[in-house]
Amino acid sequence: MLTQKTTTALHLHYRIPTIESKTGVGMLLRCIIYGFLLPLIAATWASDDLLLSDRRFDEGILGTFHEQLVKEVKVVAEETEDSKGLQEYAPIRNTISQSGLQYYLFNVNASTGLGEYFEYLVFVTGNICLQPLDLASSNNNSLVVYYSFNSLMLADLENSQMGLFNNGYFQALAEVSVSATNLVLYIAVQAPQSTNLTDTWAYEIGVSQNDLVYQWDSRLFVEVVDTDYQSALIATGNLTLVTGNHNVSEYNTSLSSYQLLVFDYSQKDYFTTLNESWCAVKNGPSLSFSGDYVTSYTTRGGYLRQQFHVSGLNASTKYVGYLLSDNKEVEGSAHGGVLYLQFEFETMSNDACKLVYDLDFCDEVAYSVPALLLAEYNSTDALKVLYDDHTRNLFGNFSKALQQIACNTTKDAIFSPLGSCEKCSALYKNWLCSVSIPRCSTRNVTGYLLRNSTASRNEFIDTTVLPSADYFEVLPCVNVCQVMTRDCPAEFGFTCPQSNSTIKLSYYWDDGGEYASCNFVGVPLIVSNAAYMVKAAGKLFLASIAFFMMTV
């Protein structure tokens, strides 16, 4: 898996046939190649890059999911040798003292990897796991990596390329022609000069002809779904586009490569100079939740994602989180991984709201709801069943009414050439869930509506739920209502408020703030791969015509 950062550095060589003739067959071939084939190929590449994040779920490369406990950084030091052999996807852990210089070599496999038809490519990556606390004592606060296919670098480092660790991360692409006689890559790691003779750095370095052993991904590949006063629900980005009906129980979280680490907010700057290092974060002082750490898969929003429910948190408290992905492990030895951008979240101030998710009927609901006063509904499972069953019962009347609509009929007789009864049913269910199961918050945010514990959105909340305290309701997004009225039969007479003044009485809209300004329940609209490909090919086709006209 290559991140967008690495794909820009990848140089694969393709030859386009040169057609000298400007008449007859030659002219026709130029039109086909430049006007159709190249735009189509380019659009395919562009669409692949666009949907790169959708291909992260692959059982073939999923490692073991680990629950992270608090522990000190420990690094396994290798024996000191003049030169050590690196193997494909088998990083070496080592320590180096101030002014030290350590050599490695890697024998290129001529029968595998990327670019073997024109040049051999070797991806070199590394992490600094531990470094001196007082970096000011060093003339250069970063380890230096030298690499070359020229063995003369062993005697003189000027015969090599050089790169620095940046925030604890290093990556480089070494290239050598297939016609080269020497297929050995030499690597040297050098520590900076220091006035403190006891300064020591711990690092890991790995090479591969197929992928990056370590990766730093600057994307925020997580979503803080919601929190309550003692827990948080956090989900990964899209692992794959869901097509058809997926049973998330088919996927075993014990095979997942993703790991969530949560740190106390006081540790926010703990990795200031190592915040791109997978091994530094992985071995950092993360919190232990004594088993209150549940992970599962979900298809909310139309995508397969992994979600983490973290309990045992403190009220009104900020935390820092990191998402990591471990590469496949062999015989218990770690083989690198991916580190994503740091994120923050904060718990609510009191127990007026309780976080629920994975409801049976309202399967798109995942947020905090008004907590119950009754002791028998104190558990999360009992609470979500109470809300879910009530909404399912309300849906029954609509379902019977929808059966009276001519759905399975000819196109000229159906209620809408664009809509369907199945789509209307799904949209109505999402709307019903959003208004029957109000989203609860203890924060006073613009657009939120303060609810008295005895005067909620509907009678069911006041008489059955009996909220334990006053709370702020995150009103449903008005577009949840709008898409339902658009795609359901006019016979139902569904209408939505039109002006801002009337919308704010029962709905709100997304204003892009730190916290969700309205509660959206359902699957957001997405641009399909095919549509993007056609659009991109069309633009490139026009550009190709201009290029062709200039060359004629």
Side-chain angles (χ1 to χ4, degrees), residues 305-323:
R305 301 189 295 172
Q306 186 173 348
Q307 59 187 2
F308 305 87
H309 184 229
V310 184
S311 301
L313 304 178
N314 297 321
S316 298
T317 304
K318 283 187 176 182
Y319 294 90
V320 175
Y322 286 92
L323 180 70

Side-chain angles (χ1 to χ4, degrees), residues 320-517:
V320 175
Y322 286 92
L323 180 70
L324 298 88
S325 176
D326 292 345
N327 290 335
K328 188 176 182 181
E329 296 190 356
V330 179
E331 297 180 355
S333 176
H335 280 233
V338 184
L339 173 65
Y340 296 89
L341 187 66
Q342 179 194 87
F343 66 96
E344 302 175 10
F345 64 93
E346 184 178 6
T347 53
M348 294 187 187
S349 59
N350 58 55
D351 59 358
C353 309
K354 197 169 187 65
L355 183 59
V356 297
Y357 65 100
D358 287 352
L359 280 66
D360 181 50
F361 179 70
C362 290
D363 49 359
E364 292 291 331
V365 166
Y367 47 80
S368 288
V369 299
L372 277 74
L373 185 62
L374 302 178
E376 61 265 32
Y377 293 109
N378 279 344
S379 73
T380 301
D381 288 340
L383 180 62
K384 70 181 186 181
V385 168
L386 180 67
Y387 277 109
D388 205 37
D389 286 349
H390 170 70
T391 310
R392 181 188 285 109
N393 292 335
L394 294 177
F395 184 80
N397 293 331
F398 169 80
S399 181
K400 294 176 182 177
L402 189 60
Q403 294 175 7
Q404 310 303 316
I405 303 298
C407 293
N408 300 319
T409 183
T410 60
K411 289 185 178 181
D412 57 346
I414 197 170
F415 70 89
S416 170
L418 300 178
S420 67
C421 288
E422 292 79 9
K423 187 176 182 180
C424 171
S425 178
L427 293 174
Y428 180 83
K429 185 181 82 167
N430 289 334
W431 171 83
L432 183 63
C433 292
S434 69
V435 298
S436 301
I437 309 178
R439 183 167 181 172
C440 175
S441 178
T442 60
R443 304 180 182 95
N444 186 4
V445 177
T446 301
Y448 291 9
L449 189 60
L450 178 62
R451 296 288 192 185
N452 186 280
S453 60
T454 59
S456 296
R457 167 176 283 270
N458 55 57
E459 185 179 357
F460 170 76
I461 304 294
D462 294 333
T463 59
T464 304
V465 175
L466 299 173
S468 58
D470 296 348
Y471 63 93
F472 290 94
E473 181 183 349
V474 186
L475 297 173
C477 294
V478 67
N479 56 342
V480 175
C481 176
Q482 291 168 343
V483 294
M484 176 193 64
T485 59
R486 180 195 64 192
D487 292 334
C488 282
E491 290 88 332
F492 288 133
F494 294 145
T495 59
C496 302
Q498 301 298 317
S499 65
N500 287 351
S501 59
T502 56
I503 289 175
K504 289 191 293 185
L505 297 177
S506 51
Y507 299 94
Y508 209 72
W509 51 85
D510 183 10
D511 61 10
E514 179 183 1
Y515 297 102
S517 56

Side-chain angles (χ1 to χ4, degrees), residues 144-147 160-164 170:
V144 183
V145 179
Y146 300 90
Y147 58 97
S160 65
Q161 294 178 271
M162 182 194 78
L164 299 175
F170 170 81

Side-chain angles (χ1 to χ4, degrees), residues 82-95:
D82 292 335
S83 180
K84 300 172 185 175
L86 284 165
Q87 303 297 322
E88 170 76 19
Y89 242 100
I92 285 180
R93 299 165 174 82
N94 213 341
T95 57

